[in-house]
Amino acid sequence: MVKVAPSILSANFAVLGQEINDVIQGGADWIHIDVMDGHFVPNITMGPLVVEAIRPLTDLPLDVHLMIEEPEKYIQDFVKSGADLITVHQEACRHLHRTVYQIKEAGVKAGVAINPATPVEMVREILADVDLVLLMTVNPGFGGQTFIPTVLTKVKRCRQWAEEQGLSHLYLEVDGGVNEHTASLCRQAGANVLVAGSAIFSAADRREAINKIRG
Ligand code: DX5
Ligand code: ZN
């Protein structure tokens, strides 16, 4: 079953609670929260306070995507604020295995993300230790960018490794430029969690947008 995770980066922040309720009513499976620090990526967004404010609005899993340097320093804060899944970038972790176990030992699910130009081999040795792999389909930093189709090969390879290793529980997530057309390519390649920001929040009918992405 494919999950759809609306990214609130493209929501109207002046009425964030309303926007979140709207995608919940529309059938969202997870809420995707993009944390940017102005160092790992050239943009600054939100932190644990925003996660804490969202937590009482829903029981849906809060999927926190950390696009920050030294994410290990902030794991505890995001767990306390109510995150259910915490994803760190392989490129930002000097000791990825340690950080993954820091997340798991804090009691939440752990994910590892890689940028479009990072070889998928960089997650191969950590596959059995994580709950989620996030293959970025744009360069992280902004919503509304164009999907990079070469990442689909990485999705296929990662899905194949997961099958070979019997990791049927592994979430294989894609993020960036996902709309009804690219979503179908991602599903075919083996992705089972689809993050979408602008395609959902720019649509007048969020339920329809979510359903089209889910396929
Ligand atoms: C990009 C973020 C994405 C972003 C996706 O750095 O990680 O989650 O919000 O936005 P769209 O779907 O508009 O590409
Ligand atoms: Zn994201």
Side-chain angles (χ1 to χ4, degrees):
M1 190 56 189
V2 170
K3 296 192 186 299
V4 179
S7 158
I8 61 166
L9 187 61
S10 297
N12 177 353
F13 282 15
V15 286
L16 186 57
Q18 242 171 272
E19 293 275 75
I20 290 172
N21 278 327
D22 209 27
V23 293
I24 294 169
Q25 297 308 318
D29 298 292
W30 295 357
I31 302 296
H32 184 85
I33 302 171
D34 286 307
V35 177
M36 305 186 187
D37 66 352
H39 293 276
F40 182 71
V41 289
N43 196 4
I44 300 176
T45 57
M46 48 202 135
L49 282 176
V50 176
V51 178
E52 195 181 330
I54 295 170
R55 184 68 283 175
L57 302 181
T58 180
D59 290 330
L60 292 183
L62 300 182
D63 174 30
V64 175
H65 177 194
L66 298 183
M67 287 160 275
I68 65 176
E69 301 281 4
E70 300 186 288
E72 63 280 358
K73 289 187 179 169
Y74 302 95
I75 305 300
Q76 212 50 50
D77 291 343
F78 282 100
V79 171
K80 269 196 216 139
S81 70
D84 296 284
L85 294 107
I86 297 180
T87 297
V88 294
H89 268 261
Q90 180 271 330
E91 300 91 345
C93 293
R94 190 164 288 170
H95 302 287
L96 179 61
H97 185 278
R98 176 180 289 152
T99 305
V100 162
Y101 276 89
Q102 190 189 338
I103 297 170
K104 291 169 80 164
E105 279 158 20
V108 302
K109 288 191 158 57
V112 60
I114 53 171
N115 290 334
T118 300
V120 68
E121 280 73 13
M122 298 309 281
V123 300
R124 191 166 186 171
E125 307 306 325
I126 199 84
L127 220 54
D129 298 295
V130 294
D131 301 288
L132 178 147
V133 171
L134 168 51
L135 299 172
M136 290 303 298
T137 40
V138 297
N139 291 295
F142 305 94
Q145 303 182 83
T146 305
F147 184 84
I148 300 173
T150 50
V151 179
L152 290 168
T153 313
K154 291 162 62 172
V155 177
K156 285 183 198 148
R157 296 194 63 197
C158 201
R159 173 53 67 203
Q160 195 188 331
W161 293 338
E163 276 170 14
E164 285 167 7
Q165 293 183 39
L167 306 173
S168 53
H169 63 278
L170 186 77
Y171 292 118
L172 190 42
E173 185 176 55
V174 287
D175 181 8
V178 174
N179 56 37
E180 58 181 288
H181 307 292
T182 56
S184 140
L185 303 172
C186 293
R187 292 192 311 266
Q188 282 167 35
N192 59 1
V193 184
L194 308 175
V195 176
S198 48
I200 293 174
F201 284 100
S202 69
D205 186 338
R206 273 79 188 261
R207 170 174 291 276
E208 191 187 4
I210 289 170
N211 285 339
K212 281 182 177 164
I213 289 166
R214 189 180 282 114

